[in-house]
Amino acid sequence: MRIVGGKAKGTILLSPAGKNTTRPTLGRVRESIFNVLANVGLEEAKVLDIFAGTGAMGLEALSRGAAEAVFIDRTTSDIIRKNAERCHMSGQVKVIVRDVTPALKLLGGKSFDYIFMDPPYRKGYINEILKEILSCGICSDDAIIVAEHSVSEAPDLSFFEDRLDLWKEKKSGAIVVTYLRCRTTEGV
């Protein structure tokens, strides 16, 4: 696995040893995500990468002009830090080594322009994590949440209709990437 675009393009990323420890976003899916986001712009953005695994999503955003990235992963913090070093981005990276819910609560008061989440499949996490993101108030105005999930686990937007709009959705095999735009101001 490698960074697919930007100043760190081609940098090979470390992955955890063994099977079933992480499920990295495929390079072609990652490239598609960042092609969509290029239309909105990543320059100087603040990025949050939840269930970060190797850190590929946040590092890709940094490579393409984001200012800083926060990574949440309970088990792969050393790999994320090493990958940030490989990409010469250590100074732009903060890694939180906790479960997602307590980590998100720690971030209250901060705001992010892009939030990437790729929770484990078939665990029912996607709606739970979206609720937590919204309750912590960490979305900047018009923030975009990019949620990768299986076809069978789409977010239930009826829970979030007053706070999230479906912006785009792209299917690639059994994987769906859902782009949600946050509404944080009244009357929008």
Side-chain angles (χ1 to χ4, degrees):
M1 182 172 37
R2 61 185 71 229
I3 299 293
V4 295
K7 65 184 178 187
K9 181 178 180 176
T11 303
I12 297 172
L13 301 177
L14 300 172
S15 294
K19 293 185 177 183
N20 299 324
T21 54
T22 63
R23 184 186 22 69
T25 301
L26 299 173
R28 64 181 163 74
V29 173
R30 202 165 3 103
E31 186 168 14
S32 174
I33 289 168
F34 283 95
N35 286 341
V36 168
L37 297 181
N39 295 322
V40 182
L42 286 163
E43 286 298 315
E44 298 304 310
K46 294 178 182 172
V47 173
L48 177 61
D49 190 347
I50 302 171
F51 299 103
T54 63
M57 294 301 290
L59 293 171
E60 190 77 47
L62 290 171
S63 180
R64 294 170 184 250
E68 60 186 72
V70 175
F71 300 84
I72 298 173
D73 203 298
R74 186 173 39 93
T75 60
T76 61
S77 60
D78 288 339
I79 287 172
I80 295 167
R81 287 185 185 102
K82 287 176 185 174
N83 284 336
E85 286 174 25
R86 285 175 168 236
C87 294
H88 307 287
M89 299 173 181
S90 296
Q92 297 170 273
V93 166
K94 178 180 179 182
V95 181
I96 300 175
V97 186
R98 290 188 181 220
D99 286 329
V100 171
T101 299
L104 288 171
K105 289 180 179 169
L106 282 175
L107 293 171
K110 290 189 173 276
S111 67
F112 296 92
D113 304 301
Y114 295 95
I115 299 173
F116 299 102
M117 58 181 281
D118 185 8
Y121 292 175
R122 293 176 295 285
K123 303 259 187 207
Y125 288 156
I126 196 158
N127 289 321
E128 178 184 323
I129 299 305
L130 285 170
K131 285 178 189 175
E132 197 62 45
I133 287 169
L134 295 172
S135 73
C136 291
I138 59 173
C139 296
S140 66
D141 287 343
D142 295 322
I144 295 172
I145 299 172
V146 179
E148 187 177 331
H149 54 87
S150 70
V151 173
S152 63
E153 292 182 299
D156 184 348
L157 296 181
S158 68
F159 291 131
F160 313 109
E161 59 190 18
D162 61 329
R163 299 284 308 278
L164 296 174
D165 292 316
L166 177 63
W167 180 42
K168 292 183 186 277
E169 199 166 65
K170 291 198 168 218
K171 183 179 174 192
S172 178
I175 297 169
V176 179
V177 178
T178 300
Y179 301 81
L180 303 166
R181 191 175 291 272
C182 298
R183 284 184 270 126
T184 56
T185 55
E186 294 297 319
V188 176

